[in-house]
Amino acid sequence: MIVFKAAQEQVLAALQSVAGIVERRHTLPILANVLMRKTAGRVEFTTSDLEIQVRTAAELGGDAGNFSTTVGARKMIDILRTLPADQVVTLSSSQSKLTLQGGKSRFTLQTLPSDDFPLVQEAADFGPMFSVPQKTLKALIN
């Protein structure tokens, strides 16, 4: 199954936006991973450190169908950084491994089950949602 097929810069941008809270070494190995949930062409990336949860979604193409797994966040980012920015990368799944291909390069990544990923409980009626540009939020915090 092809999880996604998109430009390297698009995948890297989505991963980097959630990877800020991921540590390489952690007491729970699953916390070094990013949870990837695919629904049709939309891929959702989620990371957590048990206190904070960060999530983003991107339209990255790929096969129709649903898919969910976890993979090492920093390792995947490091691999994507080595590939040229204009390169189209393909992430495909087989058994308990993911294969990332870009040009002549091919990388095999180990995965952990998505059911093991600790999600922060979100209240359905948490409160109002709003959107603020990053520069405005930074100015408010300062």
Side-chain angles (χ1 to χ4, degrees):
M1 165 187 247
I2 295 178
V3 180
F4 61 74
K5 186 172 186 172
Q8 175 268 1
E9 58 214 8
Q10 189 178 10
V11 178
L12 186 59
L15 272 173
Q16 286 179 325
S17 68
V18 297
I21 62 171
V22 175
E23 297 178 23
R24 283 194 187 267
R25 306 225 188 274
H26 208 284
T27 54
L28 297 173
I30 193 86
L31 293 177
N33 286 10
V34 59
L35 172 64
M36 291 191 309
R37 290 184 182 156
K38 178 187 181 306
T39 308
R42 180 183 166 103
V43 180
E44 186 177 90
F45 298 100
T46 307
T47 57
S48 176
D49 69 355
L50 294 179
E51 292 178 8
I52 299 170
Q53 180 172 296
V54 181
R55 179 181 7 202
T56 190
E59 296 292 330
L60 299 177
D63 290 346
N66 299 334
F67 176 76
S68 182
T69 193
T70 69
V71 66
R74 297 283 181 199
K75 179 63 76 178
M76 194 162 167
I77 287 173
D78 290 345
I79 291 170
L80 287 168
R81 281 185 182 149
T82 63
L83 298 173
D86 60 346
Q87 185 110 58
V88 173
V89 295
T90 304
L91 186 71
S92 54
S93 166
S94 62
Q95 299 170 357
S96 64
K97 295 181 182 180
L98 291 177
T99 303
L100 182 67
Q101 290 180 289
K104 295 180 181 179
S105 302
R106 179 184 175 116
F107 303 91
T108 302
L109 303 166
Q110 294 294 325
T111 63
L112 292 173
S114 60
D115 296 338
D116 294 347
F117 194 83
L119 293 172
V120 175
Q121 295 297 320
E122 298 177 34
D125 58 343
F126 181 69
M129 295 181 77
F130 61 93
S131 217
V132 178
Q134 181 180 5
K135 288 182 181 180
T136 306
L137 180 62
K138 184 178 179 181
L140 290 171
I141 291 173
N142 288 334

